[in-house]
Amino acid sequence: MTDKKKVGMVSLGCPKNLVDSEVMMGLLARQGYEMTADSSAADVLVVNTCGFIDSARQESVDTILEMAQLKQTGNLKRLIVAGCLVERYREELQREIPEIDACIGVNQLKEIESLIEPNGHRVLPVYSDGAAAPELFLYDETTPRLRATAPYTAYVKMAEGCDHTCAFCIIPKLRGVFRSRSPESILREVEMLAAQGVKEFVLISQDTTNYGTDLALKNGLARLVDSIAAVGGVEWVRFLYCYPTAITNELLDVMASRANVCNYFDIPLQHASRRVLGRMRRGGNREAYEQMIERIRERVPDVAIRTTFIVGFPGEREEDFDELLDFVRAVKFDRVGVFTYSDEEYSAAFELDAKVDHSIAKDREQRLMKEQARISFCRNRRLIGKQVKVLLEGKSKESDLLLEGRMESQAPEIDGSVLINDVPDGSNARPGDFVTVEITDAHDYDLIGRVV
């Protein structure tokens, strides 16, 4: 290639999508393309989209249109759209946004190189199922990857796809069946990343607790996490997106026994009402969830538990929401995220009756988040006066006068931070270092402290 094109990547959506973006950047960098973070300087831009819910789709479309303007105001010659939005609306995207030069689906990432040049296809073939290519894509440790996270933190995608049939979700239609990477592949990637200076490893997939079942592995996640914790240089390992009915005692024992396995669970429960959970096609009920959480807290002292809920699901009555609210008050989660139901075409819930008015759903979201803010503040106040291990991340987004970092109970991007307003004279702590911080004050979601 005689003329090195500058390629920019705009990655939207979840960390799983970010890994896909990193893989595409790695493939392009290997071919000699220069990657740039300055969109206005890019000759080619790739927008990796999210199409999960309405707000994410709107953000994706707005970003595509914003980047398309750079064909007039910047250096942009070619605009490529990738990701979940392509899987859902590739024909509509091409028709409605003519500035798009090419589209690529989630299982076609290896084809990104063929789309960069002007003679690249306008759109890769749409296969018979309208979504996935014949060979479902799953990267491994040999796939080039150009990481976009801080140098001390890395996401590791353990698996792709999903076998659950949740009524509100279309991920299986977009991403295909659940398929795990081999433990050996994941371990080799962790070892390579640790050798590069990565200290915090975040394991992700659509359902991490299902890891290895397709490979006939027993206690696959527990054994994998235990093996990763034994790798030199791994200071923290955490895993996100646990299915509530699949958290084993073996996994809890690994968390409790390994000092570098973060005492942190991310378990999207979605609701607490048995009736709503049934309509959602989710396993479990409030009583089973309370027993599970009690078991986790008994076996893993000081564990932090994060969950997410959907309010306004079709058929959710006021008494169902009251049960959810009561459940949150009783359990006292450390972190809670709340989404209003998004009526997704092609999902099973799209066909359900008794749709909840959006204004009612928003009101329920606000009431639940107000209650959780009170709970979170009370739980944070218990940390005042305690000393905690913090991963220093640099200057705070709140103010250049503050530093910020995270405790093991705070996952990157989705949880609060520890804001540091006092550092001893002569301290040479840098981003990526672990420091001991005494907590001096607490807010609803963030904590204030000083380096000891």
Side-chain angles (χ1 to χ4, degrees):
M1 187 172 56
T2 55
D3 182 22
K4 275 191 176 181
K5 285 186 169 59
K6 290 184 177 180
V7 182
M9 178 73 66
V10 180
S11 190
L12 305 173
C14 66
K16 297 180 286 291
N17 221 35
L18 178 61
V19 172
D20 289 349
S21 297
E22 293 174 339
V23 166
M24 285 190 282
M25 288 192 291
L27 290 166
L28 294 172
R30 185 175 65 178
Q31 292 300 311
Y33 293 102
E34 180 184 345
M35 305 306 299
T36 178
D38 182 2
S39 298
S40 64
D43 300 300
V44 180
L45 268 175
V46 182
V47 180
N48 193 12
T49 60
C50 177
F52 185 46
I53 58 176
D54 183 62
S55 58
R57 286 198 304 276
Q58 190 59 54
E59 181 189 20
S60 293
V61 170
D62 289 346
T63 302
I64 293 168
L65 293 172
E66 180 185 350
M67 295 302 109
Q69 292 177 1
L70 293 175
K71 287 192 171 184
Q72 278 73 48
T73 62
N75 291 332
L76 190 63
K77 310 294 190 301
R78 195 160 173 80
L79 178 62
I80 300 169
V81 177
C84 291
L85 198 69
V86 171
E87 296 292 358
R88 294 190 68 177
Y89 303 111
R90 63 175 82 199
E91 293 180 2
E92 292 91 332
L93 284 169
Q94 295 170 87
R95 184 174 62 249
E96 299 296 332
I97 309 178
E99 293 89 347
I100 296 173
D101 296 292
C103 292
I104 183 171
V106 298
N107 289 297
Q108 301 168 309
L109 302 187
K110 288 190 291 187
E111 306 299 324
I112 185 64
E113 301 157 56
S114 70
L115 299 180
I116 295 297
E117 298 303 323
N119 61 350
H121 308 289
R122 172 149 169 77
V123 60
L124 291 175
V126 179
Y127 296 96
S128 58
D129 63 358
E135 290 188 16
L136 297 176
F137 178 75
L138 180 60
Y139 89 103
D140 61 26
E141 82 284 4
T142 66
T143 309
R145 212 180 132 193
L146 191 61
R147 288 190 298 111
T149 53
Y152 46 81
T153 295
Y155 293 104
V156 176
K157 193 189 286 191
M158 312 153 48
E160 182 59 277
C162 186
D163 290 341
H164 293 294
T165 59
C166 304
F168 51 80
C169 184
I170 60 168
I171 290 296
K173 290 184 173 67
L174 302 178
R175 295 273 176 176
V177 298
F178 186 86
R179 53 213 185 267
S180 303
R181 291 172 59 188
S182 72
E184 295 79 14
S185 171
I186 296 171
L187 276 173
R188 283 194 291 267
E189 183 181 18
V190 168
E191 289 166 352
M192 289 189 297
L193 291 169
Q196 296 167 16
V198 174
K199 298 178 180 180
E200 179 186 30
F201 293 81
V202 186
L203 307 180
I204 54 174
S205 70
Q206 302 298 337
D207 174 11
T208 54
T209 41
N210 197 37
Y211 173 75
T213 56
D214 55 317
L215 304 177
L217 298 178
K218 187 177 181 181
N219 292 316
L221 180 60
R223 291 163 61 186
L224 178 67
V225 170
D226 193 45
S227 298
I228 291 173
V231 173
V234 175
E235 293 270 0
W236 277 354
V237 56
R238 68 174 81 242
F239 43 90
L240 306 182
Y241 315 115
C242 297
Y243 201 77
T245 58
I247 296 169
T248 65
N249 287 339
E250 289 80 6
L251 182 60
L252 298 178
D253 291 343
V254 169
M255 182 177 284
S257 62
R258 287 284 194 179
N260 58 349
V261 176
C262 295
N263 290 350
Y264 179 94
F265 267 102
D266 170 46
I267 315 170
L269 296 177
Q270 311 304 0
H271 216 278
S273 161
R274 181 191 293 269
R275 199 182 69 85
V276 174
L277 286 166
R279 286 173 68 89
M280 287 181 169
R281 298 183 181 176
R282 298 280 294 184
N285 54 65
R286 175 179 176 174
E287 182 181 7
Y289 288 170
E290 288 179 338
Q291 291 173 354
M292 172 198 66
I293 293 163
E294 184 179 1
R295 177 168 57 94
I296 292 172
R297 287 173 170 167
E298 282 179 356
R299 297 183 85 105
V300 187
D302 299 322
V303 69
I305 301 177
R306 174 186 176 82
T307 191
T308 50
F309 297 112
I310 297 172
V311 295
F313 189 80
E316 182 191 53
R317 302 172 304 196
E318 192 64 29
E319 53 262 43
D320 297 313
F321 176 72
D322 287 343
E323 183 173 7
L324 174 59
L325 201 58
D326 188 59
F327 172 65
V328 168
R329 290 185 184 120
V331 171
K332 294 181 172 57
F333 293 97
D334 298 88
R335 325 258 183 261
V336 168
V338 182
F339 297 93
T340 55
Y341 169 73
S342 180
D343 205 23
E344 296 303 309
E345 193 178 9
Y346 309 120
S347 72
F350 190 74
E351 307 298 331
L352 290 178
D353 60 354
K355 297 290 170 67
V356 176
D357 186 83
H358 182 69
S359 63
I360 294 174
K362 288 300 294 183
D363 177 68
R364 289 173 182 172
E365 176 193 5
Q366 292 166 6
R367 287 160 62 192
L368 186 53
M369 286 307 299
K370 182 178 180 180
E371 185 62 32
Q372 177 57 31
R374 183 190 65 79
I375 293 167
S376 178
F377 177 65
C378 291
R379 294 187 74 81
N380 280 345
R381 280 191 60 82
R382 299 188 312 177
L383 293 171
I384 293 176
K386 293 188 177 180
Q387 294 186 0
V388 295
K389 181 180 179 180
V390 169
L391 175 59
L392 189 62
E393 297 196 290
K395 288 184 178 179
S396 170
K397 304 177 188 69
E398 304 287 329
S399 167
D400 285 347
L401 301 177
L402 300 172
L403 298 176
E404 74 176 35
R406 289 180 290 107
M407 305 180 295
E408 66 175 294
S409 61
Q410 296 169 319
E413 304 298 330
I414 57 174
D415 293 325
S417 300
V418 177
L419 304 176
I420 299 169
N421 60 10
D422 189 4
V423 179
D425 292 338
S427 171
N428 57 1
R430 297 174 299 178
D433 289 345
F434 285 92
V435 294
T436 300
V437 173
E438 180 182 338
I439 303 301
T440 57
D441 200 359
H443 298 294
D444 290 350
Y445 301 110
D446 295 326
L447 294 148
I448 310 295
R450 64 180 187 88
V451 174
V452 177

